[in-house]
Amino acid sequence: MGEIVLSDVRKSFGGVSIIQGIDLTIKDGEFVVFVGPSGCGKSTLLRLIAGLEDTTDGIIAIDGRDATRLPPARRGLAMVFQSYALYPHMSVRKNIAFPLRMAGMPAAEQDRKVEAAAKVLNLTPYLDRRPSQLSGGQRQRVAIGRAIVREPSAFLFDEPLSNLDAALRVSMRQEISELHQSLKTTMIYVTHDQVEAMTMADKIVVLNAGRIEQVGSPLELYKTPANLFVAGFIGSPKMNFIEGAEAAKHGAHTLGVRPEHIAIAADGPWKGVVGISEHLGSDTFLKVQVDGMGPLTVRAGGEVELHYGDAVSLAAQPGKLHRFDAAGHTLSA
Amino acid sequence: MARHVSNSRKAVVTALAWGIGLLIFFPILWTILTSFKTEGEAINSHPSFLFFDWTLENYHTVNERSDYLGHFWNSVVIAVGSTLVGLLIAIPAAWSMAFVPGKRTKDLLMWMLSTKMMPAVGVLVPIYLLARDTGLLDTKLGLVIVLTLVNLPIIVWMLYTYFKEIPGEILEAARMDGASLGSEILYVLTPMAVPGIASTLLLNVILAWNESFWTLNLTAANSAPLTAFIASYSSPEGLFYAKLSAASTMAIAPILILGWFSQKQLVRGLTFGAVK
Amino acid sequence: MATQASRTASRLMLSPAVVLLFLWMIVPLGMTIYFSLLRFNLLMPGTEEFTGFENYFYFFTDPAFWPALVNTLTLVLGVLVITVVGGVALAVLLDQPVWGQGIVRILVIAPFFVMPSVSALVWKNMLMNPVNGLFAAIARGLGLEPIDFFAEAPLASIIVIVAWQWLPFATLILLTALQSLDREQMDAAEMDGAGPIRRFVHLTVPHLTRAITVVVLIQTIFLLSVFAEILVTTNGGPGTASTTLTFLVYMQSMLQFDVGLGSAGGIVAVILANIVAIFLMRMIGKNLEA
Ligand SMILES: Nc1ncnc2c1ncn2[C@@H]1O[C@H](COP(=O)(O)OP(=O)(O)OP(=O)(O)O)[C@@H](O)[C@H]1O
Ligand SMILES: [Mg+2]
């Protein structure tokens, strides 16, 4: 079980409103990712759910029960922190067993559960070490181990992978996804990282300045962003935005087109000159200065041989244009 | 310190440093040496440095004639007692200020500090009269109370600076793991802060052991700690140099040893974290 | 980490310390202020009467007041000059590579751990005594007349003793500050062609200024209350030659039992200390924000 429902949840710090009315339903077993720019309130929202901060207003219900005023320990949630927050004076075994010890579980049962968790997370050889004697990835696994032994109704992760190097991040990301597959427990995951959001989530919640901009599956957000903010935030490199005459031609205030949806075509309507070109092997990213429209980022194939100053013609793939009104809302097709 | 320094320069600096170091240490060394001399040898007009008849007699005499052990015990009770009581009050307070800071936490810390700045002599009379009227004059309990209050600001401050270095996320993790406030402090904060708490304890035992204003003014025969006992040698009895030296050596030895362990903490504790 | 529950707990856990310190500060201080306005002598119980600021008048016109004030300032300034100058020199010396550095450090720091009554007695009797003291023996050995330090220069002698006790403190703090000096910055300056003297003046001294300020302020707080050293060596004499404000108040209240007068003096001492304290608190407060 692990259904979490937020109704008009608000939070202010000293009069400054940080979370401005969040309504959100997280279904049991779902993997939900919160993304948004730095300072938009992702961590704050997670901490409200955890009970580490009081809500200023609104209701948080867990499994149909009002948990708004419950202390963190009684919400049945487990949290994995960005800094891992392991207890440095305890061995890995004691770290993982700590929540069980706090729950007053008999020692033998604690041992059994710790051993089982360690096995799942490949930590068995390290059980008697201190956290300081572990690598970053191992510490991360201990933090996860400490969360899973409690069998919580939901896991909360606050940027758990941001302290790891790129390669480790990819493998830990997959481990967490696998863990979700096998446990089928609700997970709420905060990240900055596009790729993490797109690959792990069942459902992405895009936050901006304490408000939800859009909720949807990764592909929904990618294909049908609700507004300029989501369109610009999801996808990498960023969607190109075009204003002025070209947009007016399509009956929009702003026109959006993703770099991967622009083709190099000899007869293309947009003529320009190549500025920077980045050859990544698999792809080539071009910055093209288009006459009368400004710069566009274009994702071309790896074999494209275009360099600074080359003239080029571009065309948007049919049906891949996004249109936005003056307020930034998406206009229906 | 990977700088290259020529050996000859290092030799000169070493000689200078040792010379000055020994000069500064000399009064202590001289006291220790004198404590092993006979009274006659101690006031010899041609004092000998090492070549005298070493004797332990002074230590025996001091212990027998005066109630040295009694005074020593008073010092221990007063110094350790006031520090432990202080820690008991200060740990929760420092926890609050370090981990649940509010708008007024800073002002509160500064205010605690300001109580330490009040000169003792400004409250000598009322404290004396209060102690007299409550029967706490010349009792160990009275001094424990006074020294606890005198050193409480330092204890709170030192603990605060140590607690500040512990990431709050770890305590939050404990809270998520189902720890009550008591368990959080007992099983997570305190073990993590053991080095800091130990340093605080050490420094405060030293300060309380050597505290000389209140111990001299609030005690007489019964509960006099070593500070007051030694001060009584300022009477003509002090002319027994060897015995004075033996008593002094015994009074400072434990604290010299503790002090050598606490050099680093000393800086932090006595500057209220202003110099680390 | 601030939920209502944790804030409530926080207030509960803070209150014993706050209440105790509040009482410790307010009750005796209030009593001192009250006593200072009374004619109140312990030898004449029951004769207390309100006299307004009479005690302050007597305190300021006491023939010992001005000498005591001058002695207090001389003592504080003398010790500060010796410990800061000596402390900087020693800290720079100990910051160099030295064989047996740890032991030298211990030797230098040791006097700080000696209780005031012991250091006062050791200096008074075994070193400075004109007949049996070591200095007298050395003087005689050199064919000089031994000096009776406490008769001829009582305040200076006390300054030496107190400076000996506090030199380690200054050294230790300045050394700690020196060691936190950025080595790379030093190396960069050396690469830029700055010699050792210019490096000391332009990098080391500014870096030490803050630590020196801290040393000066903290020592001042403690030095204003020097007591045991005077009690054990000179008892404030000869005459008033080594009487400080603290000692004057002690004599008036504990020896002459004139509680009213002593209390007025105590309040004067509090005001004096507070002037220093304000500066110190500013320094520490600034550091708290950083
Ligand atoms: N305890 C607090 N007191 C006052 N303001 C706070 C507090 N905690 C967070 N804030 C403010 O709330 C806003 C949201 O912070 P939050 O940590 O939730 O952002 P975030 O989305 O997690 O950012 P990041 O991606 O950088 O972690 C920030 O502007 C922050 O300054
Ligand atoms: Mg965050």
mmCIF file of all heavy atoms in Angstrom, chain C residues 148-173:
data_model
loop_
_atom_site.group_PDB
_atom_site.id
_atom_site.type_symbol
_atom_site.label_atom_id
_atom_site.label_comp_id
_atom_site.label_asym_id
_atom_site.label_seq_id
_atom_site.Cartn_x
_atom_site.Cartn_y
_atom_site.Cartn_z
ATOM 1 N N ASP C 148 64.320 43.168 46.074
ATOM 2 C CA ASP C 148 63.093 42.737 46.753
ATOM 3 C C ASP C 148 61.915 43.135 45.849
ATOM 4 O O ASP C 148 61.349 44.209 45.972
ATOM 5 C CB ASP C 148 62.970 43.406 48.122
ATOM 6 C CG ASP C 148 61.781 42.844 48.891
ATOM 7 O OD1 ASP C 148 61.003 42.060 48.285
ATOM 8 O OD2 ASP C 148 61.625 43.183 50.075
ATOM 9 N N PHE C 149 61.596 42.213 44.927
ATOM 10 C CA PHE C 149 60.661 42.565 43.852
ATOM 11 C C PHE C 149 59.336 43.085 44.369
ATOM 12 O O PHE C 149 58.833 44.104 43.926
ATOM 13 C CB PHE C 149 60.400 41.343 42.962
ATOM 14 C CG PHE C 149 61.592 40.956 42.139
ATOM 15 C CD1 PHE C 149 62.463 39.966 42.567
ATOM 16 C CD2 PHE C 149 61.852 41.581 40.920
ATOM 17 C CE1 PHE C 149 63.562 39.611 41.806
ATOM 18 C CE2 PHE C 149 62.945 41.229 40.160
ATOM 19 C CZ PHE C 149 63.809 40.238 40.602
ATOM 20 N N PHE C 150 58.745 42.391 45.345
ATOM 21 C CA PHE C 150 57.386 42.755 45.744
ATOM 22 C C PHE C 150 57.342 43.996 46.602
ATOM 23 O O PHE C 150 56.291 44.590 46.793
ATOM 24 C CB PHE C 150 56.696 41.582 46.433
ATOM 25 C CG PHE C 150 56.339 40.507 45.462
ATOM 26 C CD1 PHE C 150 57.091 39.365 45.352
ATOM 27 C CD2 PHE C 150 55.256 40.690 44.607
ATOM 28 C CE1 PHE C 150 56.776 38.401 44.426
ATOM 29 C CE2 PHE C 150 54.944 39.727 43.681
ATOM 30 C CZ PHE C 150 55.706 38.574 43.583
ATOM 31 N N ALA C 151 58.494 44.422 47.143
ATOM 32 C CA ALA C 151 58.517 45.673 47.891
ATOM 33 C C ALA C 151 58.795 46.830 46.941
ATOM 34 O O ALA C 151 58.207 47.896 47.049
ATOM 35 C CB ALA C 151 59.585 45.608 48.980
ATOM 36 N N GLU C 152 59.685 46.598 45.994
ATOM 37 C CA GLU C 152 60.117 47.714 45.149
ATOM 38 C C GLU C 152 59.267 47.882 43.891
ATOM 39 O O GLU C 152 59.070 48.993 43.414
ATOM 40 C CB GLU C 152 61.588 47.533 44.767
ATOM 41 C CG GLU C 152 62.503 47.852 45.947
ATOM 42 C CD GLU C 152 63.917 47.344 45.729
ATOM 43 O OE1 GLU C 152 64.376 47.423 44.572
ATOM 44 O OE2 GLU C 152 64.528 46.856 46.689
ATOM 45 N N ALA C 153 58.811 46.802 43.326
ATOM 46 C CA ALA C 153 58.005 46.916 42.099
ATOM 47 C C ALA C 153 56.862 45.916 42.147
ATOM 48 O O ALA C 153 56.800 44.977 41.365
ATOM 49 C CB ALA C 153 58.875 46.668 40.876
ATOM 50 N N PRO C 154 55.953 46.107 43.118
ATOM 51 C CA PRO C 154 54.921 45.072 43.312
ATOM 52 C C PRO C 154 54.047 44.868 42.075
ATOM 53 O O PRO C 154 53.815 43.725 41.669
ATOM 54 C CB PRO C 154 54.096 45.607 44.487
ATOM 55 C CG PRO C 154 54.402 47.071 44.559
ATOM 56 C CD PRO C 154 55.794 47.240 44.027
ATOM 57 N N LEU C 155 53.601 45.967 41.470
ATOM 58 C CA LEU C 155 52.688 45.804 40.345
ATOM 59 C C LEU C 155 53.402 45.163 39.161
ATOM 60 O O LEU C 155 52.869 44.255 38.516
ATOM 61 C CB LEU C 155 52.094 47.163 39.948
ATOM 62 C CG LEU C 155 50.929 47.068 38.976
ATOM 63 C CD1 LEU C 155 49.768 46.306 39.591
ATOM 64 C CD2 LEU C 155 50.466 48.468 38.556
ATOM 65 N N ALA C 156 54.636 45.620 38.914
ATOM 66 C CA ALA C 156 55.398 45.050 37.804
ATOM 67 C C ALA C 156 55.610 43.557 38.015
ATOM 68 O O ALA C 156 55.516 42.753 37.079
ATOM 69 C CB ALA C 156 56.735 45.771 37.653
ATOM 70 N N SER C 157 55.875 43.160 39.265
ATOM 71 C CA SER C 157 56.087 41.737 39.537
ATOM 72 C C SER C 157 54.821 40.947 39.245
ATOM 73 O O SER C 157 54.863 39.852 38.659
ATOM 74 C CB SER C 157 56.477 41.532 41.001
ATOM 75 O OG SER C 157 57.578 42.342 41.308
ATOM 76 N N ILE C 158 53.680 41.507 39.655
ATOM 77 C CA ILE C 158 52.418 40.801 39.391
ATOM 78 C C ILE C 158 52.177 40.733 37.887
ATOM 79 O O ILE C 158 51.729 39.702 37.362
ATOM 80 C CB ILE C 158 51.258 41.520 40.119
ATOM 81 C CG1 ILE C 158 51.446 41.317 41.635
ATOM 82 C CG2 ILE C 158 49.908 40.958 39.669
ATOM 83 C CD1 ILE C 158 50.467 42.089 42.469
ATOM 84 N N ILE C 159 52.508 41.814 37.181
ATOM 85 C CA ILE C 159 52.335 41.799 35.724
ATOM 86 C C ILE C 159 53.151 40.661 35.111
ATOM 87 O O ILE C 159 52.672 39.938 34.239
ATOM 88 C CB ILE C 159 52.742 43.161 35.120
ATOM 89 C CG1 ILE C 159 51.705 44.219 35.504
ATOM 90 C CG2 ILE C 159 52.884 43.062 33.601
ATOM 91 C CD1 ILE C 159 52.041 45.612 35.029
ATOM 92 N N VAL C 160 54.388 40.478 35.606
ATOM 93 C CA VAL C 160 55.224 39.406 35.057
ATOM 94 C C VAL C 160 54.565 38.044 35.288
ATOM 95 O O VAL C 160 54.469 37.211 34.381
ATOM 96 C CB VAL C 160 56.632 39.442 35.690
ATOM 97 C CG1 VAL C 160 57.404 38.175 35.348
ATOM 98 C CG2 VAL C 160 57.389 40.672 35.213
ATOM 99 N N ILE C 161 54.072 37.837 36.502
ATOM 100 C CA ILE C 161 53.461 36.537 36.815
ATOM 101 C C ILE C 161 52.235 36.292 35.925
ATOM 102 O O ILE C 161 52.079 35.232 35.324
ATOM 103 C CB ILE C 161 53.035 36.480 38.298
ATOM 104 C CG1 ILE C 161 54.268 36.618 39.184
ATOM 105 C CG2 ILE C 161 52.300 35.180 38.594
ATOM 106 C CD1 ILE C 161 53.938 36.701 40.658
ATOM 107 N N VAL C 162 51.378 37.290 35.846
ATOM 108 C CA VAL C 162 50.150 37.118 35.068
ATOM 109 C C VAL C 162 50.484 36.953 33.587
ATOM 110 O O VAL C 162 49.886 36.133 32.882
ATOM 111 C CB VAL C 162 49.190 38.297 35.305
ATOM 112 C CG1 VAL C 162 47.950 38.159 34.447
ATOM 113 C CG2 VAL C 162 48.805 38.370 36.776
ATOM 114 N N ALA C 163 51.470 37.710 33.112
ATOM 115 C CA ALA C 163 51.870 37.575 31.702
ATOM 116 C C ALA C 163 52.398 36.173 31.442
ATOM 117 O O ALA C 163 52.119 35.569 30.399
ATOM 118 C CB ALA C 163 52.916 38.617 31.346
ATOM 119 N N TRP C 164 53.131 35.630 32.391
ATOM 120 C CA TRP C 164 53.649 34.267 32.236
ATOM 121 C C TRP C 164 52.493 33.277 32.099
ATOM 122 O O TRP C 164 52.547 32.340 31.311
ATOM 123 C CB TRP C 164 54.520 33.920 33.458
ATOM 124 C CG TRP C 164 55.067 32.518 33.454
ATOM 125 C CD1 TRP C 164 56.072 32.032 32.674
ATOM 126 C CD2 TRP C 164 54.643 31.435 34.287
ATOM 127 N NE1 TRP C 164 56.311 30.715 32.971
ATOM 128 C CE2 TRP C 164 55.437 30.321 33.958
ATOM 129 C CE3 TRP C 164 53.670 31.291 35.283
ATOM 130 C CZ2 TRP C 164 55.302 29.086 34.583
ATOM 131 C CZ3 TRP C 164 53.539 30.055 35.898
ATOM 132 C CH2 TRP C 164 54.345 28.974 35.551
ATOM 133 N N GLN C 165 51.416 33.535 32.862
ATOM 134 C CA GLN C 165 50.271 32.614 32.773
ATOM 135 C C GLN C 165 49.529 32.741 31.451
ATOM 136 O O GLN C 165 48.968 31.773 30.958
ATOM 137 C CB GLN C 165 49.279 32.919 33.895
ATOM 138 C CG GLN C 165 49.792 32.567 35.259
ATOM 139 C CD GLN C 165 48.755 32.945 36.289
ATOM 140 O OE1 GLN C 165 48.425 34.112 36.468
ATOM 141 N NE2 GLN C 165 48.228 31.940 36.956
ATOM 142 N N TRP C 166 49.483 33.952 30.891
ATOM 143 C CA TRP C 166 48.650 34.176 29.712
ATOM 144 C C TRP C 166 49.413 34.132 28.401
ATOM 145 O O TRP C 166 48.796 34.052 27.333
ATOM 146 C CB TRP C 166 47.877 35.489 29.845
ATOM 147 C CG TRP C 166 46.736 35.324 30.785
ATOM 148 C CD1 TRP C 166 46.730 35.591 32.114
ATOM 149 C CD2 TRP C 166 45.441 34.797 30.467
ATOM 150 N NE1 TRP C 166 45.515 35.269 32.659
ATOM 151 C CE2 TRP C 166 44.698 34.783 31.670
ATOM 152 C CE3 TRP C 166 44.832 34.336 29.299
ATOM 153 C CZ2 TRP C 166 43.387 34.333 31.724
ATOM 154 C CZ3 TRP C 166 43.520 33.896 29.365
ATOM 155 C CH2 TRP C 166 42.820 33.892 30.575
ATOM 156 N N LEU C 167 50.738 34.166 28.467
ATOM 157 C CA LEU C 167 51.514 34.072 27.228
ATOM 158 C C LEU C 167 51.171 32.801 26.438
ATOM 159 O O LEU C 167 51.016 32.847 25.217
ATOM 160 C CB LEU C 167 53.018 34.133 27.543
ATOM 161 C CG LEU C 167 53.952 34.088 26.347
ATOM 162 C CD1 LEU C 167 53.720 35.276 25.429
ATOM 163 C CD2 LEU C 167 55.417 34.067 26.797
ATOM 164 N N PRO C 168 51.005 31.663 27.105
ATOM 165 C CA PRO C 168 50.655 30.444 26.351
ATOM 166 C C PRO C 168 49.341 30.586 25.597
ATOM 167 O O PRO C 168 49.227 30.132 24.463
ATOM 168 C CB PRO C 168 50.525 29.377 27.441
ATOM 169 C CG PRO C 168 51.259 29.896 28.602
ATOM 170 C CD PRO C 168 51.206 31.387 28.534
ATOM 171 N N PHE C 169 48.375 31.216 26.226
ATOM 172 C CA PHE C 169 47.071 31.386 25.583
ATOM 173 C C PHE C 169 47.226 32.179 24.289
ATOM 174 O O PHE C 169 46.771 31.751 23.220
ATOM 175 C CB PHE C 169 46.134 32.112 26.561
ATOM 176 C CG PHE C 169 44.803 32.486 25.978
ATOM 177 C CD1 PHE C 169 43.811 31.548 25.813
ATOM 178 C CD2 PHE C 169 44.554 33.797 25.599
ATOM 179 C CE1 PHE C 169 42.582 31.901 25.283
ATOM 180 C CE2 PHE C 169 43.333 34.162 25.064
ATOM 181 C CZ PHE C 169 42.344 33.210 24.902
ATOM 182 N N ALA C 170 47.910 33.326 24.390
ATOM 183 C CA ALA C 170 48.113 34.155 23.192
ATOM 184 C C ALA C 170 48.880 33.372 22.135
ATOM 185 O O ALA C 170 48.510 33.351 20.953
ATOM 186 C CB ALA C 170 48.856 35.429 23.570
ATOM 187 N N THR C 171 49.933 32.690 22.560
ATOM 188 C CA THR C 171 50.743 31.933 21.599
ATOM 189 C C THR C 171 49.916 30.880 20.895
ATOM 190 O O THR C 171 49.953 30.746 19.668
ATOM 191 C CB THR C 171 51.917 31.252 22.331
ATOM 192 O OG1 THR C 171 52.620 32.234 23.083
ATOM 193 C CG2 THR C 171 52.856 30.595 21.341
ATOM 194 N N LEU C 172 49.158 30.146 21.677
ATOM 195 C CA LEU C 172 48.385 29.039 21.115
ATOM 196 C C LEU C 172 47.373 29.545 20.085
ATOM 197 O O LEU C 172 47.228 28.981 18.991
ATOM 198 C CB LEU C 172 47.663 28.324 22.259
ATOM 199 C CG LEU C 172 47.167 26.916 21.989
ATOM 200 C CD1 LEU C 172 48.322 26.032 21.572
ATOM 201 C CD2 LEU C 172 46.505 26.359 23.231
ATOM 202 N N ILE C 173 46.691 30.608 20.406
ATOM 203 C CA ILE C 173 45.677 31.129 19.484
ATOM 204 C C ILE C 173 46.326 31.717 18.240
ATOM 205 O O ILE C 173 45.886 31.471 17.118
ATOM 206 C CB ILE C 173 44.795 32.161 20.205
ATOM 207 C CG1 ILE C 173 43.860 31.393 21.126
ATOM 208 C CG2 ILE C 173 44.008 32.995 19.215
ATOM 209 C CD1 ILE C 173 43.019 32.239 21.973
#
